[in-house]
Amino acid sequence: MDPFDAARAAADYIAAETGVDTHDVALVLGSGWADAAGLIGETTATLSAEEVPGFSSPAVEGHTGTLSSVLTREGKRALVLGARTHYYEGKGVRAVVHGVRTAAAAGCRTLVLTNGCGGLNEDWTPGTPVLISDHINLTAASPLEGATFVDLTDLYSARIRGLAREVDSSLEEGIYAQFTGPHYETPAEVQYAKRIGASLVGMSTALEAIAGRHAGMEVFGISLVTNLAAGISPVPLSHEEVLEAGHAAGPRISRLLAEIIARL
Ligand code: 8IG
């Protein structure tokens, strides 16, 4: 099926089941961000990923397999995608960006992408949120097919980064390198990422951001540094560390996300 028809079908299902015809902003929750949507407003409907056409439940602990519709205090409708499909699941790039295309088909003009990732800056202790200013796509893949030439200058909205810094002026920015995963990087690969200009390493976001721009949405990305990237810290990485950093940072990033979305 054409991926845009698939997104249309999912958006129609969401509209029918949530009773909300048009959503305004989409929020994709990454590792460590599962509880961070709690303050953005009142959840008016929750769907499980398996029931929505083209979605599937995530394989990873720390990711919720739900889509919910949230009404903010400002009266905006947020579509919260707790179910991200990662490239490493092997379902193809169309599956990775199906949520983003569905959000666009559901009416969203703004795309908020969150993730948990490794940090290359030693000052970013686990639990530090960092604004994504740009990305380096190291997957050797694109969500776009055929002669679809899309400009990615200012992909990550400077306007929304500015709003985020109004909320918290201490927020720093980083360049996110998307690796395929699911293995973490070797220390040598982390040094390579550093030399080519990255300061954050992860397994998501870049492909989704490209699809979001192609769909005409204003894209905002924010990472939660849950671990120092391999070799930057003397201790090996563990998924437990990732979950723990997410929990510890919970209250701060919940407030941050809610206040950014309120200002959009
Ligand atoms: I959470 O250090 C998380 N996701 N590639 N590297 C990559 N992905 C990650 C990392 C990391 N931490």
Side-chain angles (χ1 to χ4, degrees):
M1 196 203 264
D2 172 83
F4 300 95
D5 291 342
R8 176 79 268 148
D12 289 347
Y13 181 91
I14 290 166
E17 294 296 315
T18 62
V20 178
D21 283 341
T22 303
H23 284 84
D24 304 300
V25 51
L27 172 59
V28 179
L29 299 176
S31 296
W33 294 86
D35 301 325
L39 296 180
I40 67 173
E42 177 204 349
T43 301
T44 61
T46 299
L47 312 176
S48 80
E50 298 95 277
E51 68 180 283
V52 184
F55 283 77
S56 51
S57 66
V60 191
E61 193 191 341
H63 293 263
T64 64
T66 58
L67 287 80
S68 35
S69 182
V70 175
L71 177 60
T72 72
R73 266 198 297 268
E74 292 71 32
K76 286 223 168 79
R77 298 287 183 171
L79 182 63
V80 179
L81 305 172
R84 164 181 265 149
T85 296
H86 284 90
Y87 186 68
Y88 57 70
E89 292 175 56
K91 295 173 181 166
V93 187
R94 285 184 177 188
V96 171
V97 301
H98 178 63
V100 168
R101 288 184 172 146
T102 296
C108 296
R109 307 301 308 272
T110 311
L111 174 65
V112 175
L113 296 169
T114 68
N115 64 57
C117 73
L120 274 61
N121 179 338
E122 287 176 63
D123 298 336
W124 296 342
T125 53
T128 303
V130 177
L131 305 174
I132 300 174
S133 61
D134 202 348
H135 79 220
I136 299 173
N137 173 11
L138 296 178
T139 65
S142 172
L144 309 182
E145 301 170 36
T148 313
F149 306 116
V150 171
D151 176 53
L152 299 181
T153 311
D154 297 324
L155 175 55
Y156 296 89
S157 169
R159 183 187 78 87
I160 304 178
R161 278 183 276 144
L163 296 179
R165 277 191 303 270
E166 279 177 27
V167 175
D168 182 344
S169 62
S170 75
L171 284 169
E172 295 189 68
E173 300 193 341
I175 295 177
Y176 181 94
Q178 179 175 358
F179 283 80
T180 61
H183 51 272
Y184 294 118
E185 296 71 36
T186 63
E189 287 164 344
V190 169
Q191 289 309 309
Y192 155 75
K194 190 170 188 169
R195 285 188 145 120
I196 63 173
S199 44
L200 304 163
V201 288
M203 307 177 192
S204 68
T205 303
L207 295 173
E208 292 152 84
I210 295 166
R213 160 60 60 93
H214 174 246
M217 291 189 281
E218 186 175 12
V219 178
F220 174 67
I222 185 165
S223 288
L224 179 67
V225 173
T226 55
N227 57 274
L228 284 174
I232 303 283
S233 148
V235 296
L237 313 189
S238 76
H239 189 59
E240 288 64 42
E241 172 190 29
V242 168
L243 298 177
E244 172 51 33
H247 284 301
R252 180 183 179 198
I253 61 175
S254 301
R255 249 178 295 130
L256 188 57
L257 207 51
E259 291 181 33
I260 293 168
I261 288 172
R263 281 172 163 74
L264 287 174

